Amino acid sequence: MNRKSCISICIILAILLSGCIESSGETANIGATSEPENITIGALLPLTGSVASIGEASQVALEVSAEDINGYFSGLGSGMNVELVVKDTESDPEMALEKLKELDEMGIKIVIGPQGSDEVEAVLDYANENGIILLSTASTASSLAIPDDNLFRLVPDDTNQGMVLATLMNDEGISTLIPMYRNDVWGNGLADEVEKNFKALNGTVLEGIAYEPENANHSAEVEALNEKVISATSEHGSGSVAVLLCSYREATEIFALARDYPALSEVKWYGTDGIALNKELINDNNAASFAAAVNVSASMYGYLNDNTRSKAIELKIEEQLGRLPESYALAAYDALWIATYVYQDPISDNDEIIKLAMTSNTDRYHGISGWTILNENGDRESWTYYIWTVTEENGSYQWEEYKTASRWSDNQYIEFE
């Protein structure tokens, strides 16, 4: 039996024992243990920098996933063992490319990540040219929805988030929108998607404020935003004007600065997946109190899964992380199972075979983040978005879910609930 066949049989047995790849970690020992054989998967995670919250949670989820996978291998009497090689991209596109090259030099051809869309954009050409398969669980920029490349994403692209946010704003009586966004592939793209969808609903989008993510201080941009809000509310009234913030970690500073401008507290604020569940924001009293006061509504891709075993795994990740994980972390847990399943003998450098295996297995995989069926661009097809807000209780702040929107096919939608 060759190596690939052995891997496939082991994982198929694991699927049957686990109930579609969701594990309890209590598989019985089957047969004698074979010779040790490592399956090495790379991971590019932003463990520091502006997207560190997502990177931190994803690393914990991958560690839990590796433990569960290796538990199955051990229980099956297999000597196979999944090893993760994690590289910190520092939330920096140039560093992401450097770290991908390091993984390539190690002979690693399946990589989970990068998580940020600007990082993916920076490494994609290298991955395509060098036969490296990227499996991102957090990159959502619509400009990266490209067919037949080496990028697969276990998340929907931002054409969907743009539609959800625009619909939510319209439902809540907003008619005039002022965007503030990161000047990068993700921020520009998401702001454009929201604008396109909001205008289609007869909303007005004023000229927005783009800021450079690497700048340490955003006071000038917040002051400029204040002037735009004053002008808009004097013409349209504060109840129909809103701010859209497409931001990552810097949202904490922006919210803290916004507290000093009364006009910015009089309008509704909407955020995105770069803000929702951010731990730094709710741990900063100034930022959190402003977010709670304006009832910020931040969307993030999630999933509808009531499976008991899935919830047990999610709880395990949450306990090890010490907080509620972003849904992207749950997708990372599933990504390692999928990467293991499609793993090829390293003597093969045919990435087309790996791509076919990736598509075949995501089509029939159901994990803790639900079904992972991908569309023609290699991005997750079905989606659910949770809308999160910041609430205060006994002097402490927390993220709280209050609305949900889902799509399971092109013609079937679930209203906000």
Side-chain angles (χ1 to χ4, degrees):
M1 182 181 298
N2 63 31
R3 183 178 182 178
K4 180 182 175 183
S5 297
C6 184
I7 291 171
S8 297
I9 289 173
C10 285
I11 297 182
I12 289 169
L13 287 172
I15 294 170
L16 294 174
L17 289 168
S18 64
C20 291
I21 309 188
E22 292 169 350
S23 68
S24 65
E26 296 178 355
T27 305
N29 195 344
I30 302 176
T33 302
S34 61
E35 290 298 317
E37 189 170 11
N38 289 332
I39 300 170
T40 305
I41 305 294
L44 294 175
L45 303 179
L47 302 178
T48 55
S50 61
V51 203
S53 180
I54 291 174
E56 174 190 47
S58 296
Q59 183 177 35
V60 172
L62 286 172
E63 290 169 352
V64 171
S65 186
E67 180 183 349
D68 288 348
I69 293 170
N70 290 332
Y72 276 120
F73 281 149
S74 177
L76 292 168
S78 168
M80 292 182 183
N81 183 68
V82 171
E83 286 191 351
L84 272 171
V85 179
V86 179
K87 299 286 186 178
D88 180 12
T89 66
E90 301 177 14
S91 304
D92 178 80
E94 293 182 4
M95 183 61 68
L97 179 58
E98 179 181 325
K99 296 302 181 181
L100 180 62
K101 290 178 179 179
E102 291 179 8
L103 293 175
D104 189 21
E105 290 173 359
M106 298 172 64
I108 296 174
K109 294 298 183 180
I110 300 179
V111 176
I112 296 172
Q115 301 295 64
S117 292
D118 55 346
E119 297 173 26
V120 170
E121 182 184 49
V123 307
L124 186 53
D125 284 345
Y126 183 89
N128 289 335
E129 293 165 3
N130 291 275
I132 300 171
I133 303 300
L134 304 174
L135 185 55
S136 179
T137 67
S139 165
T140 59
S142 55
S143 61
L144 296 172
I146 305 168
D148 301 323
D149 62 2
N150 281 22
L151 172 65
F152 296 84
R153 299 190 290 185
L154 295 187
V155 286
D157 73 75
D158 278 333
T159 57
N160 304 290
Q161 186 172 195
M163 181 192 69
V164 168
L165 280 169
T167 304
L168 176 63
M169 294 171 188
N170 182 69
D171 287 355
E172 295 186 341
I174 302 301
S175 60
T176 302
L177 182 64
I178 305 172
M180 184 175 185
Y181 52 93
R182 291 169 62 98
N183 186 23
D184 62 13
V185 63
W186 173 77
N188 286 309
L190 183 49
D192 286 346
E193 292 294 342
V194 175
E195 178 175 353
K196 176 180 67 177
N197 283 279
F198 194 62
K199 285 182 174 179
L201 296 171
N202 298 317
T204 298
V205 181
L206 303 181
E207 182 180 358
I209 298 173
Y211 65 88
E212 300 305 321
E214 63 271 16
N215 289 350
N217 186 290
H218 302 289
S219 56
E221 289 88 349
V222 173
E223 183 174 353
L225 177 65
N226 179 61
E227 293 174 0
K228 287 181 177 290
V229 167
I230 290 175
S231 176
T233 54
S234 65
E235 181 176 353
H236 304 288
S238 59
S240 63
V241 176
V243 173
L244 168 69
L245 182 59
C246 300
S247 180
Y248 287 150
R249 171 188 279 181
E250 60 273 12
T252 300
E253 180 203 357
I254 291 171
F255 281 172
L257 289 168
R259 289 179 73 245
D260 296 330
Y261 296 91
L264 296 183
S265 298
E266 295 174 358
V267 296
K268 185 77 166 66
W269 284 62
Y270 293 86
T272 68
D273 53 338
I275 296 175
L277 298 181
N278 186 289
K279 68 172 186 178
E280 293 182 358
L281 194 154
I282 59 173
N283 288 335
D284 184 296
N285 284 337
N286 290 332
S289 63
F290 178 83
V294 298
N295 191 30
V296 63
S297 300
S299 58
M300 175 176 277
Y301 161 75
Y303 67 101
L304 293 175
N305 194 339
D306 294 328
N307 185 282
T308 301
R309 191 169 291 166
S310 294
K311 288 187 174 182
I313 296 171
E314 181 178 354
L315 180 59
K316 185 178 180 180
I317 295 170
E318 182 177 344
E319 288 174 345
Q320 293 193 20
L321 181 62
R323 61 177 173 86
L324 191 67
E326 291 90 347
S327 54
Y328 301 135
L330 307 183
Y333 176 95
D334 287 338
L336 187 58
W337 275 100
I338 294 171
T340 304
Y341 190 40
V342 301
Y343 180 81
Q344 298 280 327
D345 192 306
I347 64 171
S348 173
D349 58 0
N350 188 345
D351 60 328
E352 292 302 320
I353 295 176
I354 303 177
K355 287 163 67 175
L356 286 172
M358 185 73 71
T359 300
S360 174
N361 287 288
T362 53
D363 277 351
R364 59 176 181 261
Y365 179 93
H366 186 277
I368 67 170
S369 65
W371 290 106
T372 59
I373 299 170
L374 306 180
N375 62 20
E376 66 276 7
N377 298 318
D379 299 332
R380 199 166 196 141
E381 186 172 69
S382 296
W383 51 255
T384 297
Y385 282 91
Y386 290 95
I387 312 301
W388 296 88
T389 190
V390 175
T391 60
E392 183 271 335
E393 185 176 356
N394 298 324
S396 65
Y397 297 90
Q398 53 280 317
W399 287 102
E400 182 176 312
E401 171 207 331
Y402 83 107
K403 285 190 178 181
T404 308
S406 300
R407 183 185 73 178
W408 299 102
S409 69
D410 288 338
N411 298 314
Q412 182 179 359
Y413 292 86
I414 299 176
E415 299 294 333
F416 286 103
E417 297 177 354

